């Protein structure tokens, strides 16, 4: 029996849409003096109704009405009206007077009746805080009375001191159960929360979770550890139980280094900050050996401002043993187990590079990069293909690494030439190609030899610089003041990342959009859904930091067009 559509479906969609609009859709509507929007509470309280085994719990920690100041064309008002149209409920009259500062939506179970023969029926629970218990109780009564007028049959039941209202008998679709619940006394009397569920059992389980605290999410050690990582002023958060979440999506968590994740969203004067922490219940997960950096690496000074993607950090020689590598292995192993070849798209550029040059990246390059490094991709155009830059700090191992690359180039049939470019001595890997053209009607031919540059490298300061072509190398040599580190957008982005950290992944969205879409075609669908957000996205910056056992922390900063 399908009980997940229609009105409750509207509630679920409404919560998700509200979360998306609040966090990603309103920021660029800020005036030059943005409204002061901060969460009224640091942690959600309605999680007492959610099972500690729930795969997903999403919390909005600000009253939607406080976001009205951010509207430009009444977007939030239109959303409220459209979501409530079918229920004949008026938001301003029926909900606004009592709605508090917290809305929680949770997937409470993977299958409500645990009967695989009738299909998987996930349980959904929504909990809203109330500031006026009597009015919220009246609202629940009003909602179900209007459902009766619309043709539904009403059922009521007293359960653990709480009056439950629900559709009885259950319809084939559009099932709803609700209650006004309090937790200040036993039995539950004073309404502090309004609950809705897509099944009566889900509603009863929510009440049981309050009566037996060891069952609810607040009693989870992992959840307690996760909420300790929350930043101040978070407007929304999501807690994921990764093994259960994978099972819900038909996947298997084959690599279980991390078993839970918390994500929080914060708005500041520069953009949107998404903070995340991956947690492991195992004490055998060691801290990342990747060094923490107290400032951006010097190699970034050799990355041109025209770069669309830049990655920087230190010590690639132990990349496979880092906590980031463990997380990547867990994610790819899980997705690949579903039959989807995630690496075929995401790692395609690296595969093409290895195949083209006949190299093994970990052995032939990563193994000798023990100092700082920066690698960047410069998007091309109709006249010029994409180009790349790789800058690495000189260490005793670098000279040997360069010799190894020169040898690989030579084995591929390339020539190693030394030449001068803007008074700078460089080494070039070149390919000599003979061409011919017809001179006259007697089929006389003239032959020429063209030199095609496959890569160049040189020494600048304390760094060895590699580029894919002479034009890019000339840009780096002649325009040191035009580096990425001088870019205001980049400066603002890395300023939003805590220090020390393990380096940055910086993506200039406007320069790299076409490139990223070519590698990840599914992104076009995501852009269609979140069109306003992507239209105003300037860049995103990703970094990881911290070195506690069993904890990997990271931050994504979205720079938005003001």
């Amino acid at each position: 029996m399908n009980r997940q559509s229609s009105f409750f479906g509207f509630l679920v969609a409404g919560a998700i849409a509200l979360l998306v609009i609040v966090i990603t859709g309103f920021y660029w509507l800020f005036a030059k003096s943005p409204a002061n929007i901060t969460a009224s509470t640091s942690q959600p309280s309605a999680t007492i109704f959610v099972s500690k085994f729930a795969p997903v719990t999403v919390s909005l920690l600000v009253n939607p009405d406080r976001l009205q100041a951010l509207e430009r064309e009444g977007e939030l008002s239109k959303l409220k009206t459209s979501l409530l149209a079918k229920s004949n409920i008026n938001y301003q009259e029926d909900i606004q007077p009592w709605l508090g500062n917290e809305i929680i939506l949770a997937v409470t179970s993977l299958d409500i009746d645990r009967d695989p023969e009738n299909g998987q029926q996930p349980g959904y629970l929504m909990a809203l805080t109330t500031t006026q218990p009597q009015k919220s109780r009246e609202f629940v009564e009003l909602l179900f009375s209007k459902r009766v007028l619309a043709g539904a049959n009403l059922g009521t039941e007293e359960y653990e001191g709480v009056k439950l209202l629900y559709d009885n008998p259950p319809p084939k679709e559009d099932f709803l159960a609700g209650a006004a619940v309090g937790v200040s006394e036993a039995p539950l009397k004073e309404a502090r929360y309004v609950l809705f569920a897509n099944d009566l059992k889900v509603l009863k389980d929510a009440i049981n979770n309050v009566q037996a605290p060891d069952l609810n999410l607040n009693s989870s050690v992992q959840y307690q550890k996760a909420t300790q990582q929350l930043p101040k002023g978070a407007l929304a958060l999501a807690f994921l139980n990764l093994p259960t979440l994978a099972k819900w999506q038909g996947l298997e968590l084959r690599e279980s280094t991390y078993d839970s994740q918390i994500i929080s969203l914060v708005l500041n004067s520069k953009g949107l900050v998404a903070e995340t922490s991956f947690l492991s219940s195992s004490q055998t997960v060691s801290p990342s050996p990747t060094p923490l950096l107290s400032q951006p690496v010097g190699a970034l000074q050799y990355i041109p401002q025209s770069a669309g993607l830049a990655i920087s950090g230190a010590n690639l020689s132990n990349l496979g043993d880092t906590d980031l590598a463990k997380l990547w292995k867990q994610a790819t192993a899980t997705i690949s187990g579903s039959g989807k070849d995630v690496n075929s798209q995401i790692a395609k550029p690296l595969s093409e590079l290895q195949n083209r040059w006949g190299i093994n990246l970990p052995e032939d390059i990563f193994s000798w990069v023990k100092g700082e490094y920066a690698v960047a991709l410069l998007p091309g155009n109709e006249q010029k293909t994409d180009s790349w830059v790789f800058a690495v700090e000189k260490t005793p191992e670098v000279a040997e690494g360069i010799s190894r690359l020169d040898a690989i180039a030579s084995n591929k049939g390339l020539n190693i030439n030394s030449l001068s470019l803007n008074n700078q001595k460089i080494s070039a890997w070149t390919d000599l190609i003979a061409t011919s053209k017809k001179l006259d009607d007697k089929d006389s031919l003239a032959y020429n030899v063209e030199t095609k540059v496959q890569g160049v490298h040189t020494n600048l300061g304390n760094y060895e610089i590699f580029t894919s072509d002479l034009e890019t190398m000339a840009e780096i040599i002649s325009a040191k003041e035009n580096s990425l580190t001088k870019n205001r957008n980049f400066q603002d982005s890395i300023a939003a990342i805590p220090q020390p950290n393990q380096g940055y992944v910086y993506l200039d969205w406007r320069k790299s959009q076409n490139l990223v879409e070519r590698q990840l075609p599914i992104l076009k669908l995501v852009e269609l859904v979140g069109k306003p957000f992507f239209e105003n996205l300037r860049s995103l910056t990703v970094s990881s930091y911290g070195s506690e056992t069993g904890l990997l922390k990271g931050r994504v900063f979205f720079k938005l067009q003001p």
Side-chain angles (χ1 to χ4, degrees), residues 249-435:
Q249 296 302 309
L251 306 174
E252 181 182 352
L253 199 63
R254 298 187 174 189
E255 298 285 339
S256 55
T257 300
Y258 299 101
D259 45 32
S260 60
Q261 178 186 7
I262 192 167
I263 307 167
S264 61
L265 300 173
V266 181
L267 286 174
N268 62 29
S269 60
K270 299 293 184 181
L272 168 68
V273 177
E275 187 100 14
T276 186
S277 296
F278 290 89
L279 300 99
S280 172
S281 57
S282 172
Q283 297 301 313
T284 61
V285 179
S286 60
S288 167
T290 305
L292 293 173
L293 306 170
S294 58
Q295 59 185 3
V297 300
L300 283 168
Q301 65 184 300
Y302 299 107
I303 303 300
Q305 287 197 34
S306 56
L309 170 67
I311 302 172
S312 63
N315 195 2
L316 287 173
S317 63
N318 65 345
L319 182 63
D321 297 326
T322 64
D323 44 10
L324 284 172
K326 294 174 184 176
L327 176 61
W328 176 256
K329 185 178 180 181
Q330 174 175 317
T332 55
T334 300
I335 298 176
S336 297
S338 68
K340 301 176 183 178
D341 188 1
V342 65
N343 285 309
S344 65
Q345 291 297 327
I346 297 178
K348 185 177 179 181
L350 296 180
S351 299
E352 291 177 347
L353 179 64
Q354 292 187 107
N355 294 335
R356 176 184 175 187
W357 283 93
I359 62 174
N360 181 293
L361 285 175
E363 294 180 6
D364 297 325
I365 296 181
F366 295 169
S367 62
W368 50 266
V369 179
K370 296 189 176 181
E372 299 177 353
Y373 69 88
V375 59
L377 193 61
L378 286 62
N381 50 44
E382 295 180 358
Q383 290 75 36
K384 185 178 182 295
T385 59
D386 300 337
S387 55
W388 52 263
V389 180
F390 178 44
V392 56
E393 183 182 17
K394 287 192 295 186
T395 62
E397 297 82 8
V398 169
E400 180 181 348
I402 295 173
S403 297
R404 183 185 303 177
L405 292 180
D406 284 341
I408 292 174
S410 180
N411 291 335
K412 294 284 289 184
L414 300 179
N415 300 291
I416 313 299
N417 299 314
S418 179
L419 53 98
S420 179
L421 178 65
N422 296 338
N423 298 319
Q424 174 72 28
K425 184 179 179 181
I426 68 172
S427 293
W429 303 322
T430 62
D431 192 11
L432 301 181
I433 303 173
T435 62

Side-chain angles (χ1 to χ4, degrees), residues 48-157:
I48 56 175
F49 297 102
V50 180
S51 167
K52 63 181 178 181
F53 302 109
V56 182
T57 305
V58 180
S59 306
L60 178 66
L61 303 178
V62 62
N63 189 298
D65 291 326
R66 297 183 62 204
L67 304 168
Q68 296 288 154
L70 306 182
E71 289 188 294
R72 180 175 58 184
E73 298 177 356
E75 293 89 345
L76 185 57
S77 299
K78 293 175 184 177
L79 175 66
K80 295 173 183 175
T81 301
S82 63
L83 292 174
L84 296 173
K86 187 175 180 178
S87 66
N88 295 318
I89 293 293
N90 182 285
Y91 175 82
Q92 289 185 332
E93 294 180 4
D94 302 325
I95 299 178
Q96 187 181 54
W98 58 264
L99 185 60
N101 295 317
E102 185 181 330
I103 301 174
I104 281 186
L105 176 65
V107 180
T108 60
S109 60
L110 303 184
D111 192 4
I112 297 172
D113 60 8
R114 299 180 181 179
D115 183 1
E117 294 186 0
N118 61 5
Q120 191 178 61
Q121 301 291 328
Y124 294 108
L125 176 71
M126 177 180 283
L128 308 92
T129 58
T130 172
T131 58
Q132 298 190 42
Q134 184 58 36
K135 285 188 177 295
S136 59
R137 195 182 299 276
E138 293 172 357
F139 166 75
V140 176
E141 300 277 355
L142 173 66
L143 174 61
F144 279 89
S145 65
K146 289 193 174 185
R147 290 174 67 82
V148 171
L149 293 176
N153 296 310
L154 178 64
T156 62
E157 180 180 338

